[in-house]
C-alpha cells in the first residue's frame, strides 16, 4: 500500500509516562515532539487525534489520560473517513494491539507503527495493601503492602509517606512476575498523623505508576460493653481502662436497652441462670451480624440452650466439688489468633490453671486444658463468638492473674474492630461508596484537590455516601471531601491509576514485525526516532528515486571493471 500517512494517533494512556530505551523523556513527550515536527514538515497534509478521537494541535499541552481508556481505532477511522493511512504513536501495551485486531486486518487501510521498546520493559506496582492490628495494647498497627512485578526489577526502594512526610522505608528484590509483601508499623493514635498516605516505589528506570494513594479512616476508640446479672467484674474493667484505646461501659444484663447493642465493637456477657427471651434474641442477632461476643459462665450457669444456639454443640457441666485445678496447654503459636500476641514466648512458660466447669465439642479451641477439653473456644460463621469454660472467680481459675490474660483479651477486642481497613479507589470506578457516620440527609459535598473543585452526583443514606465520579475531570491523588455549606472537611478520597495499566505486557519491535509479517498494510518501523518517521513519509510521498538505482549500478560496474583489469595484469 503506497498511500501517504495523513492521520496521527497519539496514545495518552498512563503507561506512556514510562521512558523508552535510551530516552531522557517519557514516551508521550517524545511522541508529541514527533507530532510537532511532522506538523512543521508537512503542515498541509496531516491531522492528529488522541486515543479518544479528539483533535490535537501542534505544541499543544498534553495531559495523561489516567483513567482506563480503550484505544478504539475502528471508531477513530470512521470519524476520519478521508484518512487512508495512520501513524500510531504509542507504547504498544498488548491491549492496544489485541483490542484492534479486526481493524488491523482491514487491508483497505494502512497502519504505521513505531514501537519504543526493543526489549520488554519491566514494571512494578502496588498490588494491594491492608492493615494488621498489633495486639500489644499500644493501639498500633502494621501496614502490609504487596508489590508485584512485570519483568525482573532488581532492588526496589519502597517509601511510606504520611501527608508528604517520610515515615518508613523498605527494600526488596522481585523476580519476573513476582509478588512480595513488606510491613510498616503505623501509630494510628499519634496526634501528628494525617489520614492521607502514599507509597512511593523506586527501582532504576521504572518510572510508571510508582505512586499509590490510600487513606486510613479516623481511628476511634473501641467501644466495650460488659453485661452481668449482678455486680460487674472489676477484673474486666481493669483490662479496658486505657482511655486512649477503649470506651468501657458496664450494665445490668436484665435492665440494658438492647436496641443499643450495635453501637459496641465487643460485648462481654457474664452469664448465670438469668437470661430472658428478649435479651437472648438480641445477643444472638448481634453475634449473627458478625459482631464479637464473649460469654463467661458464672458459678450458677444454666443457659445451655443459648450456647447451643450460638454454635457450641453438646455443652455440658463437668464441674467437680473439689474444684481440682487443671493446667492449660501452651498456646499453639501457629494459630492465627496468636499472631503478634506472643512473639517472644518461651514454649516452656508456666500456664494458668482452671477448674473444669463446662465442656463442648465444636468450634475452634483457642486455649485448651492438658486433657484436651477447651478452655477458650471460638465459633460463628465470622469466627466472632468466644466462650470460656470456667468462671473467672479466683476459686475457679488464676487465669485472670496470669500474664496471658491481658493480651488474650486485647486480641479478642481488636479482632472485632471494623474500621481497621485501608481505603483506596481506582479512577475507572464509576461509583464510590464510602462509610461516613453522622452526615445529615441532604448534605452536598464537593471534591477538592488544590485549586480543582468538583461536585459529583451523590447520594447520602444513613452511614453510606455514594459518589458518581466525573470521569473526564478526575485524576489520581487525594481529594478532600468538603461539605459545600459549612466548608467542613469530612474525609479524604484516595484515587489511583487502574491496575490494568500496570499489569498489561508490551509488544516489542520484533514481536510486532512477527505478528504482522503477512499483512502488507501494516508497517513496523525499526527505529524509534523522528528520522525513521520522516524517511518513511518522504519515501511514500516521493517514491524511491530511480537515479539512486542507476548510481548504485554505475558504482558496481566501475568496481567490476577495476577488478577485471587487475586480474588481467
Amino acid at each position: 500500500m503506497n498511500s501517504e500517512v495523513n492521520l496521527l494517533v497519539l496514545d495518552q494512556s498512563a503507561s506512556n509516562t514510562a521512558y523508552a530505551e535510551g530516552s531522557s523523556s517519557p514516551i508521550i513527550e517524545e511522541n508529541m515532539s514527533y507530532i510537532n515536527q511532522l506538523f512543521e514538515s508537512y503542515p498541509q497534509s496531516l491531522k492528529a487525534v488522541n486515543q479518544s478521537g479528539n483533535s490535537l494541535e501542534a505544541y499543544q499541552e498534553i495531559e495523561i489520560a489516567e483513567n482506563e481508556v480503550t484505544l478504539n481505532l475502528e471508531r477513530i477511522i470512521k470519524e476520519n473517513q478521508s484518512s487512508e493511512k495512520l501513524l500510531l504513536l504509542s507504547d504498544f501495551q498488548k491491549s492496544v494491539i489485541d483490542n484492534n485486531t479486526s481493524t488491523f486486518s482491514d487491508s483497505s487501510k494502512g497502519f504505521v507503527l513505531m514501537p519504543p521498546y526493543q526489549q520488554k520493559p519491566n514494571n512494578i506496582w502496588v498490588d494491594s495493601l491492608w492493615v494488621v492490628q498489633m495486639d500489644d495494647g499500644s493501639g498500633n498497627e502494621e501496614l502490609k503492602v504487596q508489590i508485584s512485578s512485570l519483568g525482573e526489577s532488581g532492588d526496589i526502594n519502597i517509601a511510606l509517606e504520611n501527608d508528604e512526610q517520610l515515615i518508613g522505608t523498605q527494600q526488596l528484590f522481585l523476580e519476573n512476575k513476582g509478588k512480595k509483601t513488606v510491613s510498616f508499623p503505623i501509630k494510628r493514635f499519634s496526634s501528628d498523623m494525617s489520614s492521607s498516605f502514599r507509597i512511593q516505589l523506586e527501582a532504576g528506570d521504572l518510572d510508571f505508576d510508582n505512586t499509590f494513594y490510600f487513606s486510613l479512616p479516623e481511628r476511634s476508640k473501641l467501644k466495650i460493653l460488659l453485661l452481668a446479672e449482678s455486680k460487674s467484674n472489676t477484673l474486666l474493667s481493669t483490662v479496658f481502662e486505657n482511655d486512649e484505646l477503649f470506651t468501657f461501659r458496664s450494665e445490668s444484663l436484665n435492665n440494658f436497652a438492647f436496641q443499643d447493642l450495635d453501637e459496641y465493637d465487643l460485648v462481654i456477657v457474664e452469664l448465670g441462670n438469668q437470661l430472658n427471651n428478649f435479651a437472648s434474641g438480641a445477643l444472638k442477632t448481634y453475634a449473627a451480624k458478625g459482631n464479637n461476643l464473649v460469654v463467661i459462665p458464672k458459678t450458677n450457669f444454666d443457659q445451655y440452650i443459648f450456647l447451643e444456639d450460638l454454635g457450641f454443640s453438646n455443652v455440658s457441666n463437668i464441674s467437680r466439688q473439689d474444684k481440682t485445678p487443671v493446667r492449660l496447654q501452651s498456646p499453639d503459636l501457629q494459630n492465627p489468633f496468636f499472631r503478634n500476641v506472643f512473639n517472644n514466648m518461651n514454649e516452656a512458660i508456666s500456664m494458668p490453671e482452671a477448674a473444669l466447669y463446662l465442656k463442648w465439642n465444636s468450634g475452634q479451641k483457642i486455649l485448651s486444658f492438658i486433657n484436651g477439653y477447651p478452655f477458650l473456644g471460638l465459633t460463628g460463621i465470622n469466627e466472632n463468638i468466644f466462650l470460656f469454660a470456667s468462671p473467672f472467680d479466683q476459686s475457679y481459675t488464676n487465669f485472670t492473674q496470669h500474664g496471658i490474660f491481658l493480651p488474650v483479651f486485647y486480641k479478642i477486642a481488636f479482632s472485632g474492630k471494623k474500621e481497621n481497613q485501608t481505603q483506596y479507589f481506582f479512577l475507572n470506578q464509576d461509583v464510590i461508596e464510602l462509610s461516613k457516620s453522622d452526615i445529615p440527609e441532604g448534605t452536598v459535598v464537593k471534591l477538592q484537590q488544590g485549586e480543582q473543585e468538583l461536585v459529583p452526583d451523590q447520594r447520602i443514606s444513613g452511614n453510606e455516601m455514594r459518589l458518581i465520579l466525573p470521569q473526564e475531570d478526575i485524576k489520581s491523588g487525594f481529594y478532600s471531601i468538603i461539605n459545600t455549606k459549612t466548608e467542613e472537611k469530612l474525609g479524604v478520597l484516595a484515587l489511583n491509576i487502574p491496575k490494568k495499566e500496570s499489569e498489561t505486557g508490551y509488544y516489542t519491535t520484533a514481536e510486532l514485525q512477527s505478528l504482522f509479517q503477512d499483512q502488507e498494510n501494516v508497517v513496523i518501523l525499526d527505529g524509534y526516532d523522528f528520522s525513521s518517521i520522516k524517511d518513511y513519509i518522504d519515501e511514500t510521498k516521493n517514491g524511491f528515486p530511480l537515479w539512486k538505482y542507476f548510481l548504485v549500478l554505475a558504482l558496481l560496474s566501475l568496481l567490476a571493471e577495476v577488478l577485471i583489469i587487475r586480474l588481467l595484469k
Side-chain angles (χ1 to χ4, degrees):
M1 174 174 287
N2 295 320
S3 57
E4 299 176 12
V5 170
N6 51 11
L7 180 64
L8 312 177
V9 179
L10 177 67
D11 183 357
Q12 291 178 231
S13 62
S15 59
N16 287 271
T17 54
Y19 287 65
E21 299 160 2
S23 174
S24 59
S25 301
I27 291 171
I28 190 167
E29 291 184 12
E30 294 278 9
N31 287 340
M32 190 62 203
S33 73
Y34 300 150
I35 289 177
N36 295 335
Q37 294 176 73
L38 287 170
F39 273 133
E40 289 183 353
S41 300
Y42 314 100
Q44 304 300 323
S45 59
L46 293 178
K47 178 182 179 181
V49 298
N50 65 12
Q51 79 282 349
S52 298
N54 300 323
S55 296
L56 298 174
E57 302 296 332
Y59 298 99
Q60 177 178 329
E61 185 176 345
I62 294 299
E63 290 187 1
I64 282 293
E66 292 186 326
N67 204 339
E68 183 181 336
V69 179
T70 300
L71 197 156
N72 188 331
L73 289 179
E74 181 181 7
R75 179 172 56 81
I76 291 174
I77 291 173
K78 285 182 179 179
E79 293 172 354
N80 297 273
Q81 293 285 350
S82 61
S83 300
E84 295 182 352
K85 182 179 288 186
L86 66 83
L87 169 64
L88 177 57
L89 296 169
S90 169
D91 61 349
F92 291 97
Q93 280 195 325
K94 291 193 172 181
S95 58
V96 171
I97 299 298
D98 297 347
N99 292 342
N100 293 282
T101 302
S102 59
T103 305
F104 286 119
S105 300
D106 182 0
S107 59
S108 67
K109 297 293 181 181
F111 304 91
V112 180
L113 316 181
M114 189 175 70
Y117 296 121
Q118 302 296 320
Q119 303 292 329
K120 284 187 178 296
N122 301 329
N123 193 29
I124 52 174
W125 64 92
V126 174
D127 187 82
S128 59
L129 47 82
W130 64 98
V131 168
V132 177
Q133 176 68 53
M134 300 296 290
D135 303 288
D136 56 4
S138 66
N140 294 337
E141 296 166 327
E142 276 190 323
L143 175 71
K144 302 287 187 180
V145 184
Q146 186 176 76
I147 310 296
S148 294
S149 71
L150 189 68
E152 191 169 290
S153 64
D155 290 328
I156 304 170
N157 293 313
I158 306 161
L160 173 63
E161 297 179 1
N162 177 237
D163 200 19
E164 299 186 357
Q165 297 296 315
L166 181 67
I167 61 174
T169 59
Q170 296 279 348
Q171 189 176 77
L172 58 80
F173 178 87
L174 273 179
E175 297 178 350
N176 187 22
K177 296 183 180 179
K179 287 187 179 183
K180 284 187 180 178
T181 302
V182 297
S183 301
F184 293 93
I186 296 180
K187 295 181 179 179
R188 289 286 294 282
F189 284 99
S190 170
S191 59
D192 298 327
M193 190 69 74
S194 161
S195 61
S196 302
F197 294 80
R198 66 181 182 183
I199 296 290
Q200 297 276 26
L201 305 178
E202 293 182 1
D205 59 352
L206 304 180
D207 301 292
F208 160 59
D209 195 14
N210 290 358
T211 302
F212 193 88
Y213 304 92
F214 67 99
S215 65
L216 293 177
E218 181 181 348
R219 179 65 180 275
S220 59
K221 296 179 183 180
L222 286 171
K223 299 182 70 173
I224 313 295
L225 174 65
L226 172 62
L227 296 174
E229 294 178 0
S230 55
K231 185 178 179 180
S232 64
N233 191 316
T234 56
L235 287 170
L236 289 174
S237 63
T238 59
V239 172
F240 303 110
E241 65 185 3
N242 189 331
D243 291 337
E244 287 188 341
L245 301 178
F246 308 109
T247 298
F248 180 79
R249 181 180 176 187
S250 178
E251 292 286 343
S252 167
L253 179 60
N254 298 312
N255 298 318
F256 179 70
F258 282 93
Q259 65 269 22
D260 297 333
L261 272 183
D262 286 340
E263 296 180 7
Y264 294 90
D265 299 295
L266 172 66
V267 173
I268 304 168
V269 181
E270 285 194 311
L271 194 56
N273 59 8
Q274 299 178 24
L275 185 67
N276 61 51
N277 290 337
F278 181 76
S280 173
L283 289 169
K284 286 185 285 188
T285 299
Y286 174 83
K289 293 178 180 178
N291 300 302
N292 274 21
L293 176 67
V294 177
V295 179
I296 304 168
K298 297 287 286 182
T299 56
N300 61 339
F301 178 84
D302 70 352
Q303 299 297 319
Y304 302 102
I305 294 177
F306 175 69
L307 294 184
E308 296 271 351
D309 290 343
L310 289 177
F312 297 97
S313 60
N314 299 320
V315 184
S316 62
N317 189 307
I318 54 171
S319 61
R320 296 171 54 176
Q321 291 294 327
D322 57 5
K323 300 177 185 175
T324 304
V326 179
R327 185 168 56 85
L328 270 60
Q329 294 180 17
S330 295
D332 177 10
L333 300 184
Q334 301 303 312
N335 189 320
F337 179 88
F338 291 108
R339 187 178 296 128
N340 302 322
V341 178
F342 302 120
N343 292 332
N344 301 313
M345 180 177 178
N346 184 342
E347 292 189 6
I349 189 174
S350 63
M351 292 294 292
E353 298 176 329
L356 298 176
Y357 188 74
L358 296 180
K359 73 171 184 176
W360 59 91
N361 59 9
S362 65
Q364 182 184 156
K365 297 178 185 178
I366 301 298
L367 290 171
S368 301
F369 292 99
I370 56 173
N371 62 10
Y373 287 161
F375 174 74
L376 171 59
L378 174 63
T379 191
I381 296 176
N382 296 304
E383 297 187 340
N384 59 301
I385 305 172
F386 299 83
L387 173 62
F388 284 92
S390 303
F392 278 7
D393 297 50
Q394 292 186 17
S395 60
Y396 278 85
T397 183
N398 64 351
F399 172 67
T400 54
Q401 286 83 45
H402 196 275
I404 72 171
F405 176 62
L406 185 64
V408 164
F409 259 90
Y410 269 130
K411 177 66 178 185
I412 291 173
F414 282 116
S415 67
K417 186 63 176 173
K418 307 177 189 66
E419 296 178 9
N420 297 336
Q421 300 297 322
T422 59
Q423 284 191 349
Y424 55 87
F425 303 92
F426 296 96
L427 291 169
N428 59 340
Q429 293 180 244
D430 294 331
V431 180
I432 301 294
E433 294 187 359
L434 299 171
S435 295
K436 292 291 175 188
S437 59
D438 303 323
I439 297 181
E441 292 282 349
T443 300
V444 178
V445 302
K446 62 182 177 182
L447 303 179
Q448 188 175 70
Q449 185 185 96
E451 296 182 358
Q452 183 189 26
E453 289 189 356
L454 303 169
V455 180
D457 291 337
Q458 58 199 269
R459 180 181 178 185
I460 297 173
S461 177
N463 291 341
E464 292 296 323
M465 176 190 295
R466 290 169 57 90
L467 303 177
I468 301 176
L469 299 182
Q471 294 295 316
E472 294 183 0
D473 301 318
I474 210 80
K475 54 188 177 181
S476 63
F478 296 111
Y479 282 86
S480 296
I481 304 172
I482 307 292
N483 186 326
T484 56
K485 185 176 182 180
T486 64
E487 293 296 320
E488 176 189 2
K489 182 178 178 179
L490 304 177
V492 173
L493 179 64
L495 293 172
N496 295 280
I497 294 172
K499 279 200 297 183
K500 186 177 180 181
E501 278 290 300
S502 301
E503 297 169 340
T504 306
Y506 299 81
Y507 281 113
T508 64
T509 300
E511 288 175 332
L512 288 174
Q513 288 172 340
S514 175
L515 184 65
F516 293 109
Q517 61 183 341
D518 297 326
Q519 290 185 230
E520 294 183 359
N521 66 317
V522 181
V523 175
I524 314 298
L525 300 182
D526 286 320
Y528 180 68
D529 50 44
F530 180 68
S531 62
S532 295
I533 305 174
K534 191 173 188 308
D535 288 347
Y536 176 79
I537 292 179
D538 287 343
E539 180 182 329
T540 54
K541 276 182 174 292
N542 305 320
F544 192 81
L546 293 177
W547 66 266
K548 292 185 179 181
Y549 288 110
F550 290 115
L551 177 59
V552 172
L553 182 60
L555 290 173
L556 290 175
S557 299
L558 180 59
L559 177 61
E561 184 177 346
V562 171
L563 291 175
I564 291 172
I565 292 173
R566 287 189 177 183
L567 289 174
L568 291 176
K569 289 183 177 181

